[in-house]
């Protein structure tokens, strides 16, 4: 009764690893999307500045 069921231990470790991978991928995706949104905002601001500069020059 005190012996370890190695199949159960391996099964639980595999599913624990799968959960950690899913959580890590979720965090990575959220951070990547956030960075992309910030980058797009910076690009938009630069385009607006260039557009205003062109209107002044003309």
């Amino acid at each position: 009764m005190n012996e370890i069921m190695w199949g159960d231990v391996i099964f639980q470790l595999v599913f624990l690893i799968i959960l950690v991978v899913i959580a890590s991928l979720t965090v990575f995706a959220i951070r990547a999307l956030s960075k992309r949104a910030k980058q797009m905002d910076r690009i938009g601001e630069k385009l607006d500045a260039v557009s205003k500069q062109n209107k002044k020059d003309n």
Side-chain angles (χ1 to χ4, degrees):
M1 196 73 176
N2 288 336
E3 68 184 62
I4 295 175
M5 304 296 258
W6 288 107
D8 291 342
V9 172
I10 292 171
F11 182 80
Q12 288 183 2
L13 285 176
V14 167
F15 274 92
L16 178 64
I17 291 169
I18 290 171
L19 287 174
V20 168
V21 167
I22 290 171
S24 298
L25 289 175
T26 303
V27 169
F28 175 76
I30 291 170
R31 291 181 75 196
L33 290 173
S34 175
K35 280 184 180 182
R36 183 169 294 163
K38 288 178 185 177
Q39 183 181 24
M40 292 300 284
D41 288 342
R42 287 194 307 268
I43 291 171
E45 290 172 3
K46 289 178 183 179
L47 285 173
D48 290 342
V50 167
S51 177
K52 286 179 184 178
Q53 185 66 34
N54 281 342
K55 287 181 182 178
K56 281 184 183 180
D57 291 343
N58 290 333

